[in-house]
Amino acid sequence: MPAPFDQSRYQVRLDWGLDALARLAPADVMVVVDVLRFSSTAIDAVDRGEEMMLDDTAFAVSLNGARVAAAAAAAAGPEPVGPHALEDEPAGPIVLLAGLRNASAVAQAIADEQSRRGRRTSVAVIPAGELGHGGAPLRFAVEDLLGAGAVIDALATRGIDHSSPEAATAGEAFRGLRGAVRHLLTASGSGQELIEKDLRPDVVRAAEVDASDAVPVVRGDRIARL
């Protein structure tokens, strides 16, 4: 019998932060969402044709996003080998990074992965949330709710819509608030924190919905374009 919080009865699942990897049932695709700023930084890097390492620099961008991505990659297993690993290797779990900027591209990549596998593909969407200073507990982050919801909404338009209540709620939140995304990000606690550090352009850029078709994939300690 499924555990109450593993959401295994649903194709599309959602839970928050590092603990989501323990609570959710294992999934074919894990989507880590850290809009301000880990996912958005990775999207921009792979859009430029660069790789990004899960190193101290990545952790400095966003401690929690990098932690979740690293833990998800470890849960996915060893890094595939070969120049076309995703095409040639057996279908193991994959880890993608998503934000508002590439939500539709990530959803399309998941739909393509489902076609490649030839079966229903389970998806765990993991908004990273914010870690407070000095070991404070995980904090809800509106930007990550909206980023996760954007992916879930884009999945639904592609027929991948058997979503848990948690995932469905995030999708509906994004759908209803899409027109206000830029305001919500700049006015949010996370946005205000970055604006105080003179990073307003980063916040505004992260709020651009579907501005990129780049899909970062985490393989071991490397982040590259899918």
Side-chain angles (χ1 to χ4, degrees):
M1 182 176 179
F5 296 105
D6 71 4
Q7 301 177 39
S8 59
R9 60 177 63 85
Y10 302 102
Q11 182 179 11
V12 182
R13 309 154 189 170
L14 180 143
D15 202 343
W16 286 80
L18 199 60
D19 290 340
L21 294 167
R23 277 193 295 262
L24 294 177
D28 299 314
V29 181
M30 291 175 275
V31 182
V32 178
V33 181
D34 184 0
V35 172
L36 295 175
R37 297 180 297 148
F38 181 71
S39 293
S40 299
T41 300
I43 293 163
D44 285 345
V46 302
D47 226 354
R48 296 190 299 265
E50 302 171 3
E51 287 194 350
M52 182 173 161
M53 300 300 294
L54 271 172
D55 56 13
D56 290 344
T57 301
F59 277 77
V61 170
S62 175
L63 173 61
N64 205 36
R67 285 179 65 200
V68 176
E79 179 181 1
V81 295
H84 304 292
L86 286 178
E87 290 81 4
D88 299 338
E89 292 295 312
I94 62 172
V95 181
L96 307 178
L97 302 182
L100 289 161
R101 290 183 60 78
N102 70 341
S104 289
V106 168
Q108 186 58 51
I110 293 169
D112 293 343
E113 179 68 9
Q114 179 166 267
S115 295
R116 186 181 75 86
R117 292 174 184 242
R119 58 175 173 78
R120 192 174 85 155
T121 297
S122 55
V123 183
V125 182
I126 306 173
E130 289 288 336
L131 282 177
H133 300 292
L138 186 73
R139 177 175 65 76
F140 169 81
V142 65
E143 68 275 8
D144 292 345
L145 175 69
L146 292 168
V151 174
I152 292 161
D153 181 56
L155 285 170
T157 66
R158 290 160 175 80
I160 301 175
D161 58 359
H162 185 225
S163 298
S164 70
E166 293 83 356
T169 299
E172 288 297 326
F174 169 76
R175 191 176 298 117
L177 294 168
R178 179 171 183 154
V181 161
R182 176 171 168 165
H183 165 70
L184 291 169
L185 259 66
T186 56
S188 70
S190 301
Q192 287 293 301
E193 183 179 48
L194 291 174
I195 288 168
E196 288 176 2
K197 298 176 181 178
D198 295 324
L199 292 172
R200 180 184 176 86
D202 290 25
V203 180
V204 172
R205 184 173 176 80
E208 296 173 346
V209 178
D210 291 338
S212 173
D213 63 359
V215 179
V217 59
V218 185
R219 298 177 179 135
D221 62 355
R222 297 183 303 118
I223 302 169
R225 187 166 186 149
L226 184 65

